[in-house]
């Protein structure tokens, strides 16, 4: 039952914005990979794009060993350059979703993307049923 509901919500999500959101993350990933020095951000953008394409049934967790100093420095740069704007975009697109009754789960999914869009390095996307107690959920 849970997987059926997740599949239904994922299809609705895909039709009402998930595809465009994922394409935006994929485009950002391509640009970041072209610029060579920002390849880690490009990989993170592709990872977020795949999550944005099919978010229900998966969750974001912090990597057990963390991301290290490089990930922390990269996240600070990411927040200043792009993360804050992406997070604002997620909030602004979640508001109209919450205004409709059927869009409430979609608005929640949009808000679930904020932590990983703010600080993408050092995060992992895993199936919801595979979350271990050692992971920190977002």
């Amino acid at each position: 039952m849970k997987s059926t509901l997740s599949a239904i919500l994922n299809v609705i999500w895909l039709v009402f914005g998930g595809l465009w959101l994922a394409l935006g993350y994929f485009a950002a990933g391509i640009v970041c990979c072209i610029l060579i020095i920002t390849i880690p951000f490009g990989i993170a953008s592709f990872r977020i794009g795949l999550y944005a394409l099919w978010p229900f049934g998966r969750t974001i967790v912090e990597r057990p060993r963390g991301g290290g100093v490089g990930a922390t420095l990269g996240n600070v740069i990411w927040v200043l350059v792009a993360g804050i704007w992406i997070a604002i975009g997620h909030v602004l697109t979640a508001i109209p979703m919450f205004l409709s009754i059927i869009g409430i789960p979609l608005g929640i999914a949009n808000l679930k993307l904020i932590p990983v869009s703010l600080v993408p390095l050092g995060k992992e996307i895993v199936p919801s049923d595979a979350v271990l107690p050692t992971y920190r959920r977002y």
Side-chain angles (χ1 to χ4, degrees):
M1 176 65 181
K2 187 176 181 180
S3 64
T4 305
L5 183 60
S6 291
I8 291 169
L9 287 171
N10 278 321
V11 170
I12 294 170
W13 169 263
L14 191 67
V15 171
F16 289 105
L19 179 62
W20 295 109
L21 188 59
L23 289 175
Y25 277 114
F26 294 150
I30 290 169
V31 170
C32 287
C33 286
I34 289 172
L35 297 175
I36 309 285
I37 196 165
T38 55
I39 287 176
F41 298 124
I43 294 168
S45 291
F46 291 132
R47 189 174 61 242
I48 299 168
L50 288 173
Y51 179 64
L53 198 59
W54 209 253
F56 294 96
R58 298 189 297 168
T59 190
I60 304 161
V61 295
E62 194 169 326
R63 289 196 175 130
R65 290 177 275 148
V69 176
T72 303
L73 180 60
N75 280 331
V76 169
I77 293 168
W78 178 265
V79 165
L80 296 174
V81 174
I84 192 73
W85 301 109
I86 295 170
I88 290 170
H90 282 299
V91 170
L92 292 177
T93 55
I95 291 170
M97 291 178 180
F98 278 119
L99 293 177
S100 69
I101 300 298
I102 196 166
I104 291 173
L106 305 179
I108 292 169
N110 215 341
L111 294 180
K112 273 179 51 177
L113 282 160
I114 291 175
V116 76
S117 68
L118 273 174
V119 284
L121 304 175
K123 302 282 189 289
E124 222 176 306
I125 298 164
V126 297
S128 295
D129 56 356
V131 176
L132 301 173
T134 58
Y135 283 121
R136 189 169 144 209
R137 291 179 84 167
Y138 290 95

